[in-house]
Amino acid sequence: MTHKHGKHTPRLHRLGKWMPSTLDSHHEWLGGLIAHVDSKADHELHPVMTEFQHLIESNTRIYLLIEAMFTEVPRNRVYATDPTGCPQIRDYKHMIQVLNHLLTTAPSWSDFTHRVGLVGLPINAVLDWPMGTPSGYAAFLDPEINAMIKKVLNAWGEYLQSPESAQVLDDSQYGWFGETGKNNLVTVANVGQTNYSFEDTFICDPSQKYHGYKSWDDFFTRVFRPGIRPVASPNDDNVIANACESQPYKVARNVKGRDVFWIKSQPYSVFDMLAHDSLAEQFVGGTIYQAFLSALSYHRWHAPVSGKIVKAYVVDGTYYSEPLFEGLGDPHPHDIDSVGEVTAQEYITAVATRALIFIESDNPAIGLMAFLGIGMCEVSTCHITVSEGQHVNKGDEIGMFHFGGSTHCLLFRKGVNVNEFPSTETNQNVPVKGQVAVVTP
């Protein structure tokens, strides 16, 4: 458990730079957003938000859960207001209005949003306190609520694919190509190893408006220039390539088929991770490598091995569920964790919306392996770009994430002797397609 007020606060910011590094920073951002929404006289709702409000008001179970998750947020100063006195969201109608505003707002850059880790996850921040309550736990596991949230996120995704969303890609103070925004993008892309400019790193046209990107999503799913990310040992099938540009999080061995994954130690639960697929049994007792992507990272996936795509499909799941031990449901009461979902990455491998891609490696020492692309928070789309039966070479693109932060896993079967994973203590991304592990035949 990462406590809000204690000495572990720096860890909050380090975890992918997704969520606020301090309690007051979160209040300051959210309070300003709420004040802006409250100041608007016209609250005409987007059709999807009208549908969400109707669902809440017409379904007693959902109404009880949504209302209760707000009433369960403590009423003390820590949760009630931000340092400037701006109110928190206190009921579902208020929540609907704030989310309605975000649906036509692209994530903008500013030193402040970067400092508090909100460049990619504004909706997660809005739902932060209520999702950490017992009723919030139940609500965000509810299938009907998640189906509605998927519609909300898809509506936001449509806006992020529109030309209007590209307006945040200018070189102003709040633009992604302003001095500090571009510097941070470049720092993340160079992974502490190189010193390339943004233009030398990614395919773009700096002479064009918005560097040639047609939308926020076009920028978010940007691609590297040829040669920037070479494939590790392309002729050695014992070397496994990194599937995502990501920061190492955990290596687990001898994983169980099913475990009590809601306890604080968060062991993996293979059957749940793999959605009870008929191939899941083969991974019991095997090895899992997990790493996470920040909102600033490259978000396309690449084949870790050469081989045949056996299965590839998306599993619908939750978007904002966090385990109850991260919030007020803990039998030992404490504050709600401001990064509950981010620090519960093992839990979400079993419940969140995710892409499953099974690959039969050309290397018999590896055999069948699995890639999981796990959508976190605002990531409503796990986009698979390969099909069953297709042969891929190590390093080929196999899919991508849209909108926000995310995490991924590589699964190896029991008996596969896979080692030399990167240290989970590093604070740098491991380059995509670079070496991530080695298999000994």
Side-chain angles (χ1 to χ4, degrees), residues 43-51 100 103-104 155-156 158:
H43 285 296
E44 182 179 353
L45 294 181
H46 185 288
V48 76
M49 297 314 302
T50 300
E51 184 181 351
N100 185 66
L103 282 190
T104 54
W156 193 45
E158 288 177 14

Side-chain angles (χ1 to χ4, degrees), residues 249-256 267-271 273-274 283-291 346 349 370 372 374 408-413 418 421 424:
Y249 177 72
K250 188 174 183 179
V251 176
R253 299 184 184 275
N254 195 28
V255 291
K256 293 184 180 180
Y268 292 106
S269 189
V270 170
F271 290 141
M273 293 174 72
L274 298 179
F283 294 91
V284 176
T287 300
I288 294 175
Y289 168 74
Q290 184 171 7
E346 298 92 334
T349 65
L372 264 70
I374 303 148
H408 79 284
C409 294
L410 300 180
L411 283 78
F412 300 89
R413 297 172 305 144
V418 57
F421 289 104
T424 56

Side-chain angles (χ1 to χ4, degrees), residues 186-244:
V186 166
T187 298
V188 170
N190 279 305
V191 294
Q193 299 178 12
T194 54
N195 194 31
Y196 294 117
S197 68
F198 184 91
E199 293 79 10
D200 289 338
T201 304
F202 297 102
I203 294 176
C204 64
D205 185 352
S207 69
Q208 297 292 315
K209 191 175 185 179
Y210 309 137
H211 276 54
Y213 293 113
K214 305 304 182 187
S215 67
W216 157 259
D217 186 62
D218 189 30
F219 160 72
F220 185 80
T221 57
R222 59 194 176 274
V223 296
F224 285 112
R225 291 194 181 277
I228 292 294
R229 290 293 185 269
V231 178
S233 305
N235 299 316
D236 186 351
D237 284 346
N238 291 323
V239 174
I240 296 166
N242 195 22
C244 297

Side-chain angles (χ1 to χ4, degrees), residues 383-397:
H383 180 193
I384 296 171
T385 58
V386 291
S387 55
E388 295 179 12
Q390 179 180 342
H391 186 276
V392 294
N393 292 319
K394 181 168 62 175
D396 287 353
E397 183 185 302

Side-chain angles (χ1 to χ4, degrees), residues 66-84:
I66 297 292
E67 275 292 87
M69 76 179 188
F70 287 107
T71 60
E72 288 168 8
V73 174
R75 298 273 168 175
N76 60 34
R77 188 218 70 85
V78 171
Y79 300 101
T81 62
D82 80 352
T84 63

Side-chain angles (χ1 to χ4, degrees), residues 24-345:
D24 283 349
S25 292
H26 180 204
H27 277 314
E28 185 180 344
W29 178 86
L30 184 56
L33 172 65
I34 292 171
H36 173 75
V37 172
D38 290 351
S39 70
K40 296 171 64 176
D42 180 16
H43 285 296
E44 182 179 353
L45 294 181
H46 185 288
V48 76
M49 297 314 302
T50 300
E51 184 181 351
F52 196 178
Q53 183 166 329
H54 176 73
L55 174 67
I56 295 170
E57 293 174 348
S58 63
N59 185 308
T60 302
R61 181 190 77 257
I62 292 175
Y63 173 78
L64 291 173
L65 288 175
I66 297 292
E67 275 292 87
M69 76 179 188
F70 287 107
T71 60
E72 288 168 8
V73 174
R75 298 273 168 175
N76 60 34
R77 188 218 70 85
V78 171
Y79 300 101
T81 62
D82 80 352
T84 63
C86 290
Q88 282 286 347
I89 297 173
R90 303 310 309 185
D91 57 49
Y92 75 88
K93 289 185 178 179
H94 201 192
M95 174 190 74
I96 291 290
Q97 291 170 0
V98 174
L99 294 180
N100 185 66
H101 167 71
L102 291 174
L103 282 190
T104 54
T105 305
S108 61
W109 176 269
S110 76
D111 292 343
F112 178 75
T113 56
H114 178 56
R115 188 173 75 249
V116 303
L118 289 167
V119 289
L121 301 177
I123 297 175
N124 189 88
V126 167
L127 300 175
D128 194 15
W129 297 149
M131 65 195 268
T133 65
S135 290
Y137 174 71
F140 291 112
L141 284 175
D142 188 286
E144 284 191 74
I145 292 176
N146 273 291
M148 189 67 244
I149 291 174
K150 182 176 182 179
K151 290 184 180 182
V152 172
L153 293 175
N154 284 345
W156 193 45
E158 288 177 14
Y159 173 76
L160 295 180
Q161 292 175 335
S162 71
E164 291 79 14
S165 69
Q167 294 174 8
V168 297
L169 302 177
D170 61 16
D171 59 2
S172 69
Q173 178 183 356
Y174 299 105
W176 283 84
F177 294 117
E179 182 180 357
T180 55
K182 184 181 257 188
N183 284 344
N184 278 281
L185 289 168
V186 166
T187 298
V188 170
N190 279 305
V191 294
Q193 299 178 12
T194 54
N195 194 31
Y196 294 117
S197 68
F198 184 91
E199 293 79 10
D200 289 338
T201 304
F202 297 102
I203 294 176
C204 64
D205 185 352
S207 69
Q208 297 292 315
K209 191 175 185 179
Y210 309 137
H211 276 54
Y213 293 113
K214 305 304 182 187
S215 67
W216 157 259
D217 186 62
D218 189 30
F219 160 72
F220 185 80
T221 57
R222 59 194 176 274
V223 296
F224 285 112
R225 291 194 181 277
I228 292 294
R229 290 293 185 269
V231 178
S233 305
N235 299 316
D236 186 351
D237 284 346
N238 291 323
V239 174
I240 296 166
N242 195 22
C244 297
E245 185 106 345
S246 50
Q247 188 170 326
Y249 177 72
K250 188 174 183 179
V251 176
R253 299 184 184 275
N254 195 28
V255 291
K256 293 184 180 180
R258 197 156 217 191
D259 214 326
V260 188
F261 52 82
W262 51 86
I263 62 176
K264 286 191 179 181
S265 60
Q266 293 186 74
Y268 292 106
S269 189
V270 170
F271 290 141
D272 297 285
M273 293 174 72
L274 298 179
H276 301 274
D277 191 282
S278 60
L279 299 175
E281 179 71 41
Q282 299 187 44
F283 294 91
V284 176
T287 300
I288 294 175
Y289 168 74
Q290 184 171 7
F292 57 87
L293 298 78
S294 79
L296 304 182
S297 297
Y298 171 82
H299 273 82
R300 293 175 183 251
W301 321 328
H302 292 262
V305 298
S306 296
K308 186 179 76 171
I309 305 297
V310 177
K311 289 185 181 180
Y313 61 96
V314 174
V315 177
D316 285 336
T318 65
Y319 294 98
Y320 294 98
S321 178
E322 66 182 50
L324 201 52
F325 66 75
E326 297 290 358
L328 297 179
D330 195 312
H332 304 290
H334 52 73
D335 290 336
I336 299 173
D337 186 355
S338 67
V339 287
E341 190 178 43
V342 175
T343 56
Q345 293 192 56

